[in-house]
Amino acid sequence: MNPNLESDYLGLRLAHPVVASAGPWTRDREGFRRLADAGVSAIVMHSLFEEEIVQAGRLTDHYLEYGADSFGESLSYLPELEDYGTGPERYLRLLADAKSAVSIPVIGSLNGTTAGGWRRFARRIEEAGADALELNLYHVPTDPSTSGAELEERYLDAVRTVADSVSIPLAVKLSPFLTAPAHMAGRLAEAGAAGLVLFNRFYQPDIDLDALSVVPKLVLSRSEELRLPLRWTAILSGRVGADLAISSGVHAADDVLKGVLAGASVTMITSELLRSGPGCIAPMLDGVRHWMSEREYESVAQMRGSLSHRHNESPEAFERANYLATLHSWRPEPDLGHLP
Ligand SMILES: Cc1cc2nc3c(=O)[nH]c(=O)nc-3n(C[C@H](O)[C@H](O)[C@H](O)COP(=O)(O)O)c2cc1C
């Protein structure tokens, strides 16, 4: 019997729980098409960044001012703004184009930290045809005078602003570095998040010793990184009024299965798509089907959350007790000799 892989996420009925997360594959129409042909069940488009929106706003202001000063008829320039080639305009055009190129759901993405100019762009992303919107709250809190509580209020404000502006469902991509992620997850759901994406992967800069400078360094993820979102998915599953999506460390069928067992509605992939190309999707789905058939699971819905904190026979496996057990589980490599 072929197991039913259908998965509901943000009110969308998806063919299975493997979604392409935001990344470089969606930079053009062809990338969307290749992802869809490879069999992902939905695509999250790369982000439109708050900085792009702010910059485009400045350019537009400048343009209008220049027009007004020179010709006193700035309004006559407005149609040309459409072709101005700014980041946001390009983004919206590509989104609309991608929607006509693929038949699977496309989720737009906004990336920033404040409510800022997002309201307008959230609406325009909806108008361009996005089936849902992901809000990536990527912030590095370097200011010692800003408290966690203040930051959380800022995030909630951004989520409320965007949720009130659109009628498509909203997902929020979260940082794992929160003092009380479970509490914040509940508040985000109350603020209008229909889905939570666990987690944002923070890229740490490195120091170049030759150039004596700080340099950006992007390292693709590995399956081991799945365990952080896996744990929090299991803890939050069935406890917050939002669907859960795992992002970080999904590379193979086993990762997808673990994510669903922990309670994820979908698992998302970027690094594996960059490392192996879209051809990685088919074997991943075959592996999921094979494992489910062997264990006689009829559907992903039946599996979902069965090893979550709530349903696990040993919920302490996700708690502090797990820390002690983990430390005690370490054994020296046989050829490294005995412990000091
Ligand atoms: C090259 C690259 C570009 C990315 N661009 C975005 C982006 O525009 N917006 C976003 O929210 N996440 C972006 N991400 C993060 C991914 O969506 C994903 O959350 C992260 O890579 C963890 O998933 P993975 O382990 O499957 O790579 C990007 C990741 C990579 C590697």
Side-chain angles (χ1 to χ4, degrees):
M1 185 197 56
N2 228 351
N4 179 358
L5 302 194
E6 279 181 337
S7 305
D8 292 328
Y9 178 55
L10 306 177
L12 304 166
R13 170 62 49 99
L14 306 181
H16 58 73
V18 180
V19 168
S21 41
W25 274 98
T26 57
R27 294 283 169 194
D28 57 26
R29 176 189 169 99
E30 177 61 13
F32 278 93
R33 223 188 34 74
R34 286 188 64 194
L35 289 175
D37 288 350
V40 297
S41 62
I43 299 173
V44 184
M45 192 171 169
H46 63 274
S47 298
L48 174 57
F49 290 83
E50 192 176 350
E51 291 81 351
E52 290 178 84
I53 294 174
V54 171
Q55 193 195 10
R58 283 202 196 111
L59 285 172
T60 304
D61 288 349
H62 180 81
Y63 188 81
L64 284 170
E65 206 175 305
Y66 172 79
D69 285 345
S70 301
F71 305 105
E73 253 308 348
S74 62
L75 282 181
S76 65
Y77 281 80
L78 283 176
E80 288 177 48
L81 287 176
E82 199 37 43
D83 294 315
Y84 197 60
T86 55
E89 299 305 326
R90 260 203 310 271
Y91 188 91
L92 295 166
R93 275 200 295 270
L94 175 58
L95 171 56
D97 193 23
K99 276 297 294 175
S100 65
V102 301
S103 55
I104 53 174
V106 174
I107 300 172
S109 168
L110 281 170
N111 191 316
T113 59
T114 62
W118 285 3
R119 184 190 288 273
R120 189 159 67 91
F121 279 98
R123 219 175 279 138
R124 291 191 65 195
I125 284 176
E126 176 173 12
E127 284 161 12
D131 297 278
L133 178 61
E134 189 176 286
L135 199 55
N136 183 334
L137 298 170
Y138 194 116
H139 179 62
V140 182
T142 52
D143 181 355
S145 68
T146 307
S147 72
E150 277 173 74
L151 272 178
E152 290 183 2
E153 285 308 323
R154 203 187 291 170
Y155 294 159
L156 291 164
D157 184 43
V159 171
R160 271 186 221 108
T161 302
V162 175
D164 288 349
S165 312
V166 292
S167 52
I168 49 175
L170 180 67
V172 176
K173 196 169 185 179
L174 268 187
S175 162
F177 306 121
L178 295 163
T179 307
H183 177 256
M184 188 60 180
R187 293 195 70 200
L188 286 165
E190 283 162 18
L196 298 173
V197 183
L198 313 178
F199 287 110
N200 240 329
R201 191 161 174 263
F202 284 83
Y203 299 104
Q204 317 301 345
D206 202 357
I207 288 182
D208 181 330
L209 288 175
D210 292 324
L212 276 185
S213 62
V214 179
V215 286
K217 192 160 190 174
L218 194 153
V219 180
L220 297 178
S221 74
R222 306 217 157 264
S223 281
E224 294 81 62
E225 288 182 41
L226 177 72
R227 283 191 258 158
L228 179 66
L230 196 63
R231 173 187 224 160
W232 285 101
T233 299
I235 290 170
L236 296 178
S237 171
R239 285 184 162 160
V240 287
D243 295 336
L244 302 172
I246 287 188
S247 173
S248 285
V250 178
H251 289 264
D254 287 5
D255 303 326
V256 177
L257 291 162
K258 290 177 193 178
V260 172
L261 287 166
S265 294
V266 292
T267 56
M268 297 183 163
I269 50 172
T270 291
S271 287
E272 193 57 37
L273 281 169
L274 295 178
R275 195 175 279 133
S276 312
C280 66
I281 302 295
M284 213 180 265
L285 293 174
D286 284 347
V288 168
R289 275 191 208 97
H290 179 72
W291 187 92
M292 287 177 67
S293 302
E294 275 200 331
R295 281 158 187 80
E296 299 181 352
Y297 277 109
E298 287 172 13
S299 69
V300 156
Q302 180 195 7
M303 272 172 70
R304 179 166 300 111
S306 54
L307 287 182
S308 64
H309 187 258
R310 232 169 119 197
H311 293 124
N312 203 316
E313 283 172 13
S314 326
E316 64 280 1
F318 292 111
E319 299 168 359
R320 181 180 156 84
N322 167 264
Y323 169 48
L324 272 180
T326 306
L327 296 184
H328 283 280
S329 72
W330 186 81
R331 296 285 173 274
E333 296 287 326
D335 54 348
L336 283 183
H338 49 76
L339 285 170

